[in-house]
Amino acid sequence: MLERALKGSPGYWKLLISLLIVMGAGVICYLLQFSEGLKITGMSRDISWGLYISQFTYLVGIAAGGVMVVLPYYIHDYKAFGKITILGEFLAIGAVIMCLLFIFVDIGNPVRMLNVIMYPSPRSILFWDMIVLNGYLFLNVIVGWNVLSAERKGLPYQKWVKFLAYVSIPWAFSIHTVTAFLYAGIPGRHLWLTAIMAARFLASAFAAGPALLLLLCLLVRKVSKFDPGKEQMRTLGGIIAYAMILNCFFLVLEFFTAFYSGIPEHNSSLVYLFAGLDGYSRLVPWMWTSVFFCVVALVLLIVPATRRKEKTLALGCAAVIAGTWIDKGLGLVIGGFIPNPFHRVVEYMPTFPEIVICLAIWATGFFVITILFKIAISIKEEVDA
Amino acid sequence: MYDGGKIIPGLIIGLILFLSPFIYNAGKAGKAPVPELTAKAKEAKECVAPKAYMTAWHMQLLDNWRHEVVRDGKRYFDTNEDLWWDYSLDYRLLESWRRLTTAGDDRAPGKPGKIYYKSLQATCMDCHSNKSKFCDQCHDYLGVAPYCWECHVEPKENN
Amino acid sequence: MAVDRRKFLKVAGISALFGLGGKTAIDIFAPGQLEASMKNEVPLVTKEKKWAMVIDMRKCLEQQDKEKCKSCMLACHREHNVPEFGNIKEEIKWIWQETYEHVFPGQHNEFIDEGVNHKPFLALCNHCENPPCCRVCPTKSTWKREDGIVMMDPHRCIGCRFCMAACPFGSRSFNWSDPRKAPKDLNPDFPTNVNYPTRTKGVVEKCNFCAERLAKGQVPACVEACEKIKVHALDFGDLNDPDSEVRELLHKRYSIRRKAQLGTEPKVYYLI
């Protein structure tokens, strides 16, 4: 089936080539990082995790979001989603590949990466994260590929494929729960030390993942003969709306506990993020922009008129992605380190090579997604004909 | 052959590329490595283990040492006790005979042998302080660049 | 019983070490223990011990008032080839000074004693009994030894920096670049200790309670430096030994530890 990726319109090739150029720039910057060390990034002794890990955290959410089309189809027999489960699975594959790449570029000694496998440490959540992420990638590749081949041949897929599809549903929940556990059990970082970290992660995942999937489906409808379907988009819109409401609700809950209790440890990170602390306020405009996007998203997604019109639904999804990306991709990880354990504020500013590497990894993910979607769409177009 | 005009030259070019390292280095045999011992090393007569063992297994010895020192806290090496079972059978037989027939030798089994502090910098390089004339001789010849020296401080040489 | 020359030299050498180390060395290591530990089956200098440090801030602050004393920090950093980068982004520090209200952020109040307010307090790895950094390490490159020291294995560390995120005390530093490429003007005679390795880029490092010195029967470099200048603000010893100096100090005077409410059980005690 891979040969279907080799035939495409000029637009398709232009996209792939521009993505490859960005990826190439990233490779050059990474070679610089490999030889000079992570000092070329903006991370410091106090902010020891920066853009790389925050992107990884966000993308695990996107990967988990694919389950929001798989679950209704397999468990609730919502046949309409059968058309797009493959797209959800392929989006998950691209997202997990991006996650693994972000971890790889963040590691200080990547040549020793296999130490995580050679010296397993079950007490470390990072160990479990490695297992569940790779397992999820494996599951999606196998299930997606087999379902698509079966569709192409016009045959029903085998029972073991369905079994693996069922396994992938709780597994999707687990990948983001485990990633949340990376943060939620750390005693010294009070922005992260909340019981609802996993719940927040899942809620934002189930808003952002399907939102990205919806936007990609609308794009697919525009550039190919395959139509993911109007009903599917509406249902997806509904799912995104509920998930986004939950996500914003959880954020309000955090604020309440932090500020009503008045405990400085609990609220100083939020104060830094939303108002500035000790005169440092670099992330404040970002966080309020995120709030703006979340509000816009909520309005567009809750009001039935705007949710049912695809143009405004698309805008709402874009706002969901923008809002959740800033909140999780910037605010959470970086905010967790501020103020530092000595209650001092040291700020973080990503450097140019760091940003290029991030863009290159995003480009890699979209490269993978483009190719996989091309294969899926061309097969579906063929089957529909 | 169909397309023979393209295949045969292609094969020849491929073969030349494949053999290019040998063609490039033809006639330029590298000098065989001759590791030099320092005066201190010559005086000590034997390293922490017999020469044959050290030549073949020094990397494994250092690997074990770094695990035992850092992770197990076992910082001292006894020439009699440790490694005995790593030596070859014929060596052990010969050595056992030698110890039985030589009186007063500190390498007798059961008696504590020489104790060394397990340290690449402080023990090994203390005797073999001429790294460029000793370690590097074989390493450079074989194109081996152990990354130990990224952290472990090389002994200062006067040349 | 006949003593051969080698044995004589061994005993003489160790006695000399004891003599140089002063009272504290003998306090820590019972006679015969060090020699026996060279037998190697069990590292006896660390068996059943629970190493801890007691910092008498009264004595330290007295010295700070006289001169801006940095003896312990310099001794530690020189002993372990810790490079100086001159900026807070890349800095590596094993033991350093921070003001009282930042070392004990929950303890500060508006009307606090002028003797501690804004004064420089020492901060270092607390070698917790229940260390979160060891829990999160995915390769076990940092672990708690039987004797309570939280060790770093720089051979195995992959540089994921999870331990740095997990440490509630900010005790850990990362080699963002090759330490040997640190600015030459700030590190004129680097490496300052040719008997100790440097680290490579991409690994985490922190205070290790001078485990390599303890194995030889010496006290940590910072403790020795403080003794040399006769301030005696740093005390190091075995919490499992009821007669040790550290236990005596903790018994006689009120001590606090950093962020004790987090349950990590730090073993660095501060006498105010």
Side-chain angles (χ1 to χ4, degrees), chain C residues 133-186:
Chain C
C133 57
C134 299
R135 273 205 290 282
V136 298
C137 179
T139 54
K140 281 272 166 293
S141 336
T142 185
W143 72 100
K144 194 184 78 142
R145 284 189 347 180
E146 260 176 36
D147 61 358
I149 294 184
V150 175
M151 278 295 277
M152 246 344 270
D153 182 359
H155 304 110
R156 203 188 271 192
C157 177
I158 61 171
C160 71
R161 309 187 299 292
F162 201 176
C163 58
M164 290 176 76
C167 175
F169 306 104
S171 309
R172 289 164 166 275
S173 315
F174 184 69
N175 286 281
W176 300 100
S177 60
D178 188 351
R180 295 185 186 183
K181 293 197 187 138
K184 284 273 180 306
D185 49 339
L186 294 168

Side-chain angles (χ1 to χ4, degrees), chain A residues 41 48 106 112 124 342 344, chain C residues 89 98 102 136 154 158 161 165:
Chain A
T41 67
S48 43
D106 184 66
R112 296 182 186 175
S124 165
F342 292 95
R344 285 199 190 274
Chain C
K89 185 174 182 277
E98 250 291 9
H102 288 105
V136 298
I158 61 171
R161 309 187 299 292

